[in-house]
Amino acid sequence: MKTGSSESFQPGRRIRIALSVTIAVLALGSIAVMVNVLSARHPQRFDWSGANRFELTPLTGKILASLTNSVKVTVLFTAQADLMGLTTGLLQEYERRSPFVTLQMVDHRAEPAAANALRGHYKIAADAANVVIFDCAGRTRMVYDTELSEFQADKDFLQSRQIRRAGFKGEMLFTSAIASVMDSTQTKVYFLQGHGEHKPDSDEQFFGYLKFAQLVADKNVRWETVRLHGPKDEIPADCELLIIAGPQNPPLPEEVTRLDEFLERGGRLLFLTNPIHLSRAETTGFELLFRKWGIAIVKAAAADEVYSSRGSDVQSTSFSAHPITAPLTRSEGLLLFPNPRVISVLPPEMRGAETPSGENLVMTSTNGITRSGFRDGMAYSRAGLDKRGEVPLVAAVEKGGLDGVTANRGATRIVVIGDSLMFGNEYIAAGSNRDFANLTLAWLLDRATFLAIGPKPLNEYRLNITDRQLRFLRSSLLLGMPGTVLLVGFVVWFRRRS
Amino acid sequence: MRVYLTLVRRELGMAFNSLTGYVVVAAVLFILGFTLVDLVETLRSGPSDAPVTELFFRTYYFWYAVLLTAPVMTMRSFAAERTSGTYEALMTTPVGDWQVVLSKFTGALLFFLISWMPLALMLFVLRHVANEPLLFVPGIIASTMLGVALVGSLFMAIGCFASALTRSQIVAAMVTFLIGMALWVASYRPLTGLLGSGAQARFFEHISMIRHVTDYSRGQVEVTHLVFYTSAVCFFLFLTHRVIESRRWK
């Protein structure tokens, strides 16, 4: 007769126990997996923050619900980037709301190999800042972190040069980017050619515009070239933005008329003057066109007696609070103009009743000077005639936006930059020139499609505490609290020991 | 229930009648204080888009604290009883195995929560010193503490399981640390962007504790995360129960 204790050592019983335990563990594991799969398929989220920072608008919800193809979103940010938390939080909400949106995060400091692979794949410049990449079947759209904020200048901006981040445009831009990569019909940007302009497909070091054209392509916009010489040449109807990059020769009168008509229809125009006109002591031929729109292309070079390395170039850190330049003010950006000309909005007394009012965006420092005299291809300053102080280098105007008035295309927007070389292959990588180019394109290409979403008000968390308060915090948090606990521990230990 | 409460009280007593418990709490407080002082200095130099609670979990200090203190908090649970010989006495009393397992787990979790509770107090102090109401949003503090509690409960359950496996406290602590470290490394994988968008990516996304804690620190309470932690805790407690029960099979 077998006893209970000897029975427990029987192989059969041991196998039965092992089987039973294995089945029980597997069963519980399976239940746990099933419950998790169910919860992942039916996500529920409660917002206890009271701010609904990541709540999406119904318009975004509709667009996400209409997705039928996968959209891969890659956040190529550093962990320390200002808007990292808001950007990833919001994009996680997109991912949660749509099974077609997948999100990846790559910290280009912590994971340089992965970041370089992404840069190579999407042709992003090595020195480019933080960027969110939207990719749908090869159609890509980049949103740079400099575009994500809405800024508000301090009341005494001219003195303080302080810019406050007031709103977050993430949802507006991300939804717009998703809609853009889902749509197989791309918007188009045209480069005007035929007057010796910079070529968008040229990789020539100083004059080529290949890198700038890549920035255009990053916005999921297709670029083409256009000529207006011929009697039947027209600016195409699908032209979202016309870029006239450094024309060396003046336009024909009929070309000016076509350009003006394009602007009257709510067209968007980026014009960059070529420094060659300065060396030839010539006007560009576009002066009258822009004068009508409130911008003066002045026949004078701009220089800065302090912020310059060669004398003819200008390094500028003086920006207005315009949406294009506010992020540069905030990030203390520096723009490099190799050989700039003076570009300014017309003063009120020179503007007609219909002339739109614009804004000078970029200026030299207060050590700036205009040089309106020309000798042997060099500009020089004429005593008594030239101005000293802040000299404007870039100007922008906006007009219209009323239905019917501008054929429903929205507002006319023009940016005139006093040096086309600053966006050439060499100088676009200098200072904050790339950011400036990107912000300029973003403003010029901005259409009202997703403006209904609007920027979300943004809280900026800042601690204004004195050195004394900091010392108090240090001593109480690092010494006071842990020390008290240790002291209590020693007392307990000592009492129990004794 | 009375038996269960008595056992929980006994567990807490074991933690706070020795110097080790106070040293662990002091270490956690020091790490918390160090992190907050670091963040205060950062926020003094420039504004941030995120509140202190969120910034706190963007640093690795939280994970260092959890990964290093969880093994110390739980290594005693079963292993110390086995070494000191009190385990047999405990298991021969009229107490169910589940009561023992749950009381050990509850005791360890309460110890963990007690050591982390001062985080709310520290933020409250900071809010008053800096006179900045946005630093102390009750909803965000509550969700943050919920996140801390959930992560803590998982680590305590893992620790109880590891402690039940062995007589050696060192081995128990090492096993807890290794499982915790593996989970933490797995949590980090979705953030690297190297997983693509397949089932593997979704799996790692689901178990990513870093993502979970970030959500909670923003005031976003995801039911999915609650389900993950509850199921994982149940699973490890079940395993612990099986290990305890195994003495009857021999």
Side-chain angles (χ1 to χ4, degrees):
Chain A
M1 192 175 165
K2 291 173 183 173
T3 63
S5 61
S6 62
E7 192 184 5
S8 70
F9 290 103
Q10 284 178 355
R13 183 173 156 78
R14 290 176 69 178
I15 290 169
R16 272 205 308 279
I17 290 168
L19 201 66
S20 154
V21 171
T22 310
I23 289 170
V25 170
L26 284 177
L28 187 74
S30 308
I31 291 169
V33 169
M34 282 190 280
V35 170
N36 276 275
V37 169
L38 269 178
S39 75
R41 284 191 181 166
H42 304 282
Q44 283 286 321
R45 173 180 275 195
F46 302 99
D47 189 341
W48 291 5
S49 70
N52 292 331
R53 284 193 300 165
F54 306 113
E55 192 180 13
L56 300 179
T57 57
L59 179 56
T60 299
K62 259 189 213 168
I63 286 167
L64 290 175
S66 70
L67 291 183
T68 50
N69 293 320
S70 293
V71 179
K72 188 171 148 193
V73 184
T74 307
V75 182
L76 184 60
F77 268 48
T78 57
Q80 293 77 24
D82 275 353
L83 295 173
M84 172 71 176
L86 277 176
T87 303
T88 53
L90 189 64
L91 286 169
Q92 278 166 8
E93 189 62 22
Y94 278 73
E95 188 184 33
R96 202 179 67 80
R97 291 278 287 271
S98 170
F100 292 102
V101 176
T102 54
L103 180 65
Q104 287 187 345
M105 278 174 268
V106 177
D107 180 338
H108 53 75
R109 281 202 195 135
E111 302 146 79
N116 284 338
L118 277 170
R119 284 201 181 101
H121 182 71
Y122 290 110
K123 298 191 178 80
I124 302 168
D127 58 342
N130 303 309
V131 61
V132 183
I133 306 158
F134 294 82
D135 183 340
C136 174
R139 290 189 297 276
T140 57
R141 168 86 161 86
M142 319 277 173
V143 177
Y144 288 85
D145 65 341
T146 46
E147 300 170 51
L148 289 171
S149 305
E150 189 177 67
F151 292 96
Q152 202 170 43
D154 274 6
K155 281 177 188 165
D156 59 342
F157 174 74
L158 289 176
Q159 275 78 45
S160 68
R161 294 279 172 194
Q162 288 290 309
I163 291 268
R164 199 173 61 80
R165 190 176 272 131
F168 180 58
K169 296 198 285 185
E171 188 184 350
M172 189 167 91
L173 292 172
F174 299 156
T175 302
S176 162
I178 288 174
S180 151
V181 293
M182 290 303 295
D183 188 358
S184 54
T185 54
Q186 286 175 300
T187 51
K188 282 189 191 164
V189 162
Y190 286 86
F191 284 85
L192 184 68
Q193 298 287 287
H195 312 87
E197 289 91 347
H198 298 273
K199 289 186 170 54
D201 55 354
S202 165
D203 59 359
E204 204 277 326
Q205 187 184 6
F206 290 101
F207 297 99
Y209 255 46
L210 188 63
K211 289 182 180 172
F212 179 75
Q214 181 59 46
L215 262 189
V216 174
D218 284 353
K219 304 208 167 293
N220 193 33
V221 172
R222 220 170 79 205
W223 63 262
E224 287 183 15
T225 56
V226 64
R227 287 171 185 270
L228 298 176
H229 281 129
K232 288 189 177 173
D233 286 342
E234 287 291 339
I235 298 170
D238 61 355
C239 176
E240 287 289 321
L241 168 65
L242 182 68
I243 298 171
I244 307 177
Q248 298 182 39
N249 304 311
L252 299 171
E254 53 269 32
E255 287 181 285
V256 174
T257 308
R258 283 169 196 153
L259 288 170
D260 190 44
E261 285 169 0
F262 169 70
L263 292 173
E264 289 287 0
R265 293 198 304 268
R268 307 281 170 98
L269 178 62
L270 172 61
F271 184 85
L272 301 103
T273 63
N274 197 316
I276 201 162
H277 295 293
L278 291 174
S279 59
R280 291 184 197 152
E282 286 174 350
T283 55
T284 64
F286 289 86
E287 278 77 3
L288 279 177
L289 171 71
F290 289 113
R291 179 167 284 267
K292 182 196 162 189
W293 288 91
I295 295 177
I297 300 178
V298 183
K299 194 184 159 191
D304 194 304
E305 293 182 326
V306 175
Y307 297 101
S308 171
S309 55
R310 289 182 285 107
S312 59
D313 64 312
V314 170
Q315 299 164 6
S316 173
T317 54
S318 182
F319 312 118
S320 74
H322 190 273
I324 294 178
T325 42
L328 298 175
T329 307
R330 168 81 178 198
S331 62
E332 297 176 357
L334 170 90
L335 295 184
L336 285 160
F337 295 80
N339 208 348
R341 151 195 293 269
V342 181
I343 302 290
S344 171
V345 292
L346 288 178
E349 62 274 15
M350 291 176 74
R351 286 204 298 261
E354 294 291 306
T355 313
S357 61
E359 191 173 340
N360 292 327
L361 307 189
V362 183
M363 284 72 64
T364 64
S365 73
T366 48
N367 304 296
I369 184 166
T370 61
R371 291 174 176 167
S372 59
F374 297 95
R375 190 188 306 133
D376 302 329
M378 298 292 287
Y380 65 92
S381 196
R382 294 186 293 177
L385 289 173
D386 280 309
K387 180 192 154 197
R388 281 183 177 274
E390 282 196 335
V391 178
L393 308 170
V394 179
V397 292
E398 179 174 14
K399 182 190 180 187
L402 296 174
D403 285 354
V405 176
T406 57
N408 292 329
R409 286 179 64 94
T412 300
R413 286 182 176 179
I414 303 169
V415 175
V416 180
I417 298 175
D419 190 345
S420 61
L421 287 181
M422 77 177 299
F423 289 166
N425 291 334
E426 173 75 10
Y427 279 98
I428 198 165
S432 308
N433 286 10
R434 188 192 305 281
D435 285 341
F436 177 54
N438 186 51
L439 289 162
T440 305
L441 286 171
W443 186 71
L444 285 168
L445 286 167
D446 178 36
R447 292 285 180 194
T449 327
F450 293 99
L451 288 184
I453 294 173
K456 282 211 167 97
L458 196 64
N459 279 328
E460 276 203 331
Y461 300 87
R462 186 195 294 266
L463 281 182
N464 294 315
I465 59 172
T466 61
D467 287 342
R468 195 175 157 192
Q469 286 172 320
L470 184 62
R471 276 198 300 278
F472 167 75
L473 278 175
R474 267 201 202 117
S475 54
S476 58
L477 296 181
L478 294 177
L479 292 174
M481 291 178 84
T484 309
V485 172
L486 271 183
L487 191 69
V488 172
F490 273 115
V491 170
V492 170
W493 173 74
F494 187 74
R495 284 184 61 186
R496 286 180 64 83
R497 197 167 168 242
S498 58
Chain B
M1 192 65 182
R2 251 179 59 197
V3 175
Y4 165 74
L5 290 176
T6 307
L7 288 173
V8 171
R9 207 163 44 238
R10 177 175 169 268
E11 285 302 313
L12 278 177
M14 277 168 70
F16 287 107
N17 280 334
S18 70
L19 188 59
T20 320
Y22 293 95
V23 171
V24 171
V25 175
V28 172
L29 287 183
F30 181 78
I31 295 174
L32 288 179
F34 182 81
T35 315
L36 283 178
V37 168
D38 190 33
L39 291 177
V40 166
E41 287 180 358
T42 309
L43 283 174
R44 263 185 108 202
S45 59
S48 161
D49 66 304
V52 174
T53 41
E54 194 176 327
L55 292 175
F56 179 80
F57 291 102
R58 279 195 213 165
T59 67
Y60 291 124
Y61 298 118
F62 168 74
W63 296 106
Y64 295 154
V66 172
L67 284 169
L68 294 175
T69 56
V72 182
M73 287 175 178
T74 52
M75 65 185 188
R76 299 163 58 98
S77 305
F78 293 96
E81 300 246 24
R82 281 200 170 119
T83 315
S84 62
T86 54
Y87 181 69
E88 282 72 20
L90 175 68
M91 300 316 282
T92 48
T93 53
V95 178
D97 289 351
W98 270 116
Q99 279 178 320
V100 173
V101 171
L102 286 178
S103 61
K104 294 270 181 201
F105 168 71
T106 312
L109 182 59
L110 285 175
F111 181 29
F112 177 87
L113 291 178
I114 288 168
S115 62
W116 279 88
M117 275 302 167
L119 175 63
L121 179 69
M122 285 173 167
L123 291 169
F124 189 70
V125 169
L126 194 59
R127 178 231 183 280
H128 275 273
V129 171
N131 196 19
E132 175 55 87
L134 289 172
L135 277 175
F136 198 90
V137 180
I140 293 182
I141 301 288
S143 65
T144 301
M145 294 314 290
L146 175 64
V148 171
L150 288 173
V151 172
S153 64
L154 176 57
F155 275 80
M156 294 304 113
I158 293 169
C160 285
F161 169 63
S163 184
L165 287 174
T166 174
R167 295 177 73 88
S168 163
Q169 291 186 47
I170 302 292
V171 173
M174 284 307 293
V175 171
T176 309
F177 179 75
L178 285 176
I179 298 177
M181 195 67 186
L183 267 174
W184 185 77
V185 170
S187 298
Y188 191 69
R189 278 183 67 83
L191 308 181
T192 63
L194 302 172
L195 291 171
S197 56
Q200 193 193 8
R202 284 201 296 279
F203 169 74
F204 281 106
E205 190 75 38
H206 185 74
I207 65 162
S208 174
M209 295 186 297
I210 297 176
R211 280 274 173 90
H212 303 161
V213 167
T214 307
D215 279 348
Y216 284 115
S217 68
R218 289 172 180 157
Q220 310 292 312
V221 178
E222 283 265 8
V223 175
T224 315
H225 304 340
L226 280 169
V227 170
F228 167 72
Y229 285 103
T230 311
S231 57
V233 166
C234 288
F235 184 71
F236 276 106
L237 291 183
F238 178 75
L239 291 182
T240 312
H241 179 260
R242 294 273 104 169
V243 175
I244 299 299
E245 202 185 45
S246 69
R247 75 185 189 283
R248 300 212 182 101
W249 309 335
K250 292 170 186 167

